Amino acid sequence: MNDNERLAVLIGDIYDAALDPAQRADVLEKIASFTGGHSGGLLSKRSLSRSENLYCYIGADPEGLRAYSESYPKLDPMAGSRSFGVAQVVSVADLVPYDEFRRGRFYREWARPHGWVDVANVVIEKSTTSCTFLSVARDAASGMVDDEMRRRLTLIIPHVRRAWLIGKTIHLGQAEAACFSDILDGLNAGLILVDGIGHVVHANAAGNAILGAADFLHTVHGRLVAGDAATNAAFREILAAAEGGDTVVGVKGIALPLTAHDGERWLAHVLPLTSGARRHTGLAYNAVAALFVR
């Protein structure tokens, strides 16, 4: 496959992994390969905790990961990546002089034994109490983080962010069901399936309750409409992109803000159903996208 074909397949896999966490390790390996890294991880750091929560990592042995989580988060200069903006690619040299990094304990005791030469970190979500990173390390063969690696990461970061947020919305135990259709009615979050022009073709119990309240989301002649005009226009744009497949929709809004009349805030995430393993669900319901609302 050429790079465009590899990218399209990878993006589809990223969204499929949002519904099936068992696929995360395989997807991280593909991300590392596509971007020119030799290992990768999905990590979360809580501000009041000394340790990292390693959701998934490939390219390092379990004992090494345990040692990192217990002993090295505060020594790792890449922890400073959280001070950068969401979706910004940050390398070691962006944080500390590289020679200083090589002299430090983290490099000598953990990074060098694991083959790290440099690492690209990207914040995919952060709040006042936590920060979640996509991390892709480089070895001696691949060299330092370069412009080409940054470019390739930039192509997939919007998709990783959307998939991560959707995955958080879905209860992981539910996501381990046999197929996507099995989890629809078990979600606490509202889930609404729509066709190419926005008609609601299916909703779970929570989704029907949201629509029944006719507040920040409602239907007009069966078509899904957001109460806020700007949000509604953004939804139409994302929906149109969803028909074009995973690659197109990633550059649109990652999350749509929704506000009820009483001031309560909600978020909506749109998952395309026109590619990957999700395509079977889309065909079954004549849907092009799933809207997760929480």
Side-chain angles (χ1 to χ4, degrees):
M1 292 187 291
N2 61 36
D3 278 350
N4 288 336
E5 291 171 334
R6 288 180 64 200
L7 176 63
V9 172
L10 173 57
I11 289 170
D13 290 342
I14 287 170
Y15 286 126
D16 285 345
L19 306 177
D20 182 5
Q23 298 185 40
R24 283 181 181 170
D26 181 57
V27 169
L28 281 170
E29 189 168 7
K30 291 177 180 178
I31 288 174
S33 175
F34 179 77
T35 59
H38 87 294
S39 61
L42 193 59
L43 311 90
S44 183
K45 171 69 178 177
R46 293 192 176 276
S47 58
L48 300 179
S49 172
R50 294 182 59 192
S51 66
E52 302 275 356
N53 182 9
L54 300 174
Y55 289 104
C56 192
Y57 208 100
I58 58 99
D61 62 277
E63 183 61 25
L65 293 178
R66 184 194 61 77
Y68 175 88
S69 184
E70 292 180 357
S71 305
Y72 292 103
K74 286 198 171 184
L75 297 176
D76 183 357
M78 295 307 292
S81 301
R82 64 177 57 87
S83 63
F84 285 72
V86 172
Q88 185 173 356
V89 180
V90 180
S91 68
V92 170
D94 293 324
L95 295 165
V96 296
Y98 190 72
D99 288 343
E100 179 182 319
F101 168 68
R102 286 173 60 90
R103 291 193 299 268
R105 276 187 58 200
F106 176 74
Y107 176 78
R108 291 184 287 106
E109 297 178 9
W110 201 89
R112 183 170 61 186
H114 286 87
W116 284 25
V117 168
D118 199 0
V119 60
N121 263 16
V122 183
V123 175
I124 59 174
E125 183 192 25
K126 68 177 177 180
S127 67
T128 56
T129 59
S130 66
C131 189
T132 301
F133 303 91
L134 171 68
S135 180
V136 182
R138 304 264 282 196
D139 60 11
S142 52
M144 305 288 286
V145 171
D146 56 17
D147 289 344
E148 178 62 13
M149 184 181 195
R150 293 175 188 271
R151 183 188 73 83
R152 287 175 176 254
L153 278 168
T154 300
L155 293 174
I156 64 171
I157 288 167
H159 306 283
V160 172
R161 290 189 61 217
R162 178 180 287 108
W164 169 255
L165 294 169
I166 289 171
K168 284 185 64 179
T169 301
I170 300 172
H171 290 285
L172 295 184
Q174 297 282 356
E176 292 167 0
C179 64
F180 182 61
S181 299
D182 293 340
I183 70 173
L184 290 179
D185 293 322
L187 294 178
N188 290 328
L191 189 144
I192 303 167
L193 304 185
V194 293
D195 66 13
I197 58 173
H199 282 116
V200 175
V201 295
H202 185 85
N204 67 355
N208 279 320
I210 290 171
L211 295 176
D215 191 331
F216 53 89
L217 283 177
H218 60 281
T219 58
V220 176
H221 302 301
R223 195 178 186 194
L224 186 66
V225 177
D228 177 75
T231 301
N232 191 60
F235 171 63
R236 299 294 163 204
E237 186 178 2
I238 296 171
L239 192 60
E243 287 198 280
D246 298 331
T247 305
V248 180
V249 78
V251 300
K252 307 300 178 183
I254 300 300
L256 294 176
L258 302 165
T259 304
H261 284 101
D262 64 2
E264 188 173 38
R265 296 181 179 181
W266 297 67
L267 281 176
H269 308 288
V270 181
L271 178 70
L273 297 177
T274 53
S275 305
R278 293 151 286 127
R279 185 169 179 270
H280 299 294
T281 298
L283 291 173
Y285 288 96
N286 193 31
V288 303
L291 187 74
F292 295 83
V293 187
R294 64 180 177 89

